[in-house]
Amino acid sequence: MPLPPADPQRQLKHQRSIQVQAYARSDGLWDIDAFVLDTKTRPTGSPGRERPAGAPIHDLHLRIVVDTSFNIVAAGAESLAMPYPGHCDQHGDRYAALTGLNLMRGFKRAVRERLGGVHGCTHLTELADVLPTAVVQAFAGDVLKVHPDSDTQPFQLDRCHALAADAEAVRLHYPRWYRQPGANKLTQNPTPASGPAAAGGGD
């Protein structure tokens, strides 16, 4: 699908960058560091507190420690730049509340229950939304090693339009798991006992 045409005279006003880094630890756990950075192309703020163009409005860092079953065993956050210093950064250890959640079982719902609205920072809480799929990608090829002909259902099937059980990509790359159009979807078949496919997604 093509992008909507861009106005040739448009001007960049704001930029948000989101980055996730995954590190395998020596103890078998994984550190997942997520960052959000907001900048503007013009000075912002009030007189006496003006922020120059390009200076961060938000520079926020969220870290979780996960095991290879997608369980969060430790979590925390820090705010390095924010619109209201001394206020925005007073969330203390609230993001430790992510500890005990599983990224693939009701994660986003649980995040909103624990840290939504006035219970957390809007941007850190939104940043947590990218963690489930980012960790799946981090684990792919290291923790998650599923051969197309394996007896274990590849975890990514029936989780996007390209990898629907009756899609051409599945017929070409995962023929064992291909279903003719109109046949039962994999999600209606017995689920393997391990891996993200058994976890029910990150919503």
Side-chain angles (χ1 to χ4, degrees), residues 97-134:
L98 298 176
T99 303
L101 299 181
N102 183 285
L103 289 170
M104 306 305 292
R105 291 196 288 268
F107 176 72
K108 293 180 182 180
R109 186 182 308 111
V111 169
R112 292 301 181 277
E113 291 171 353
R114 297 183 183 199
L115 295 164
V118 298
H119 299 297
C121 163
T122 297
H123 309 292
L124 283 168
T125 300
E126 289 179 350
L127 184 60
D129 284 348
V130 308
L131 295 175
T133 55

Side-chain angles (χ1 to χ4, degrees), residues 8-42:
Q9 296 181 321
R10 68 183 186 173
Q11 297 179 345
L12 179 64
K13 295 291 188 179
H14 179 85
Q15 181 167 287
R16 169 167 288 189
S17 300
I18 293 176
Q19 184 179 35
V20 180
Q21 300 169 347
Y23 301 87
R25 296 166 36 132
S26 60
D27 58 4
L29 301 174
W30 287 64
D31 284 341
I32 311 298
D33 286 4
F35 307 86
V36 59
L37 181 70
D38 279 323
T39 58
K40 291 189 179 294
T41 58
R42 58 177 175 79

Side-chain angles (χ1 to χ4, degrees), residues 131-181:
L131 295 175
T133 55
V135 175
V136 167
Q137 282 295 310
F139 283 3
D142 284 292
V143 176
L144 304 173
K145 298 179 180 179
V146 180
H147 189 275
D149 296 324
S150 169
D151 290 334
T152 302
Q153 174 185 312
F155 65 86
Q156 64 269 46
L157 299 192
D158 261 345
R159 295 185 178 275
C160 70
H161 76 95
L163 293 176
D166 57 2
E168 181 67 3
V170 175
R171 187 185 71 81
L172 292 173
H173 300 286
Y174 303 95
R176 176 173 182 174
W177 299 93
Y178 175 69
R179 299 292 184 272
Q180 294 289 339

Side-chain angles (χ1 to χ4, degrees), residues 59-84:
D59 186 359
L60 310 175
H61 183 186
L62 175 63
R63 176 178 294 158
I64 61 172
V65 182
V66 297
D67 65 21
T68 54
S69 295
F70 296 89
N71 298 306
I72 300 176
V73 300
E78 63 179 348
S79 301
L80 304 175
M82 66 228 75
Y84 307 103

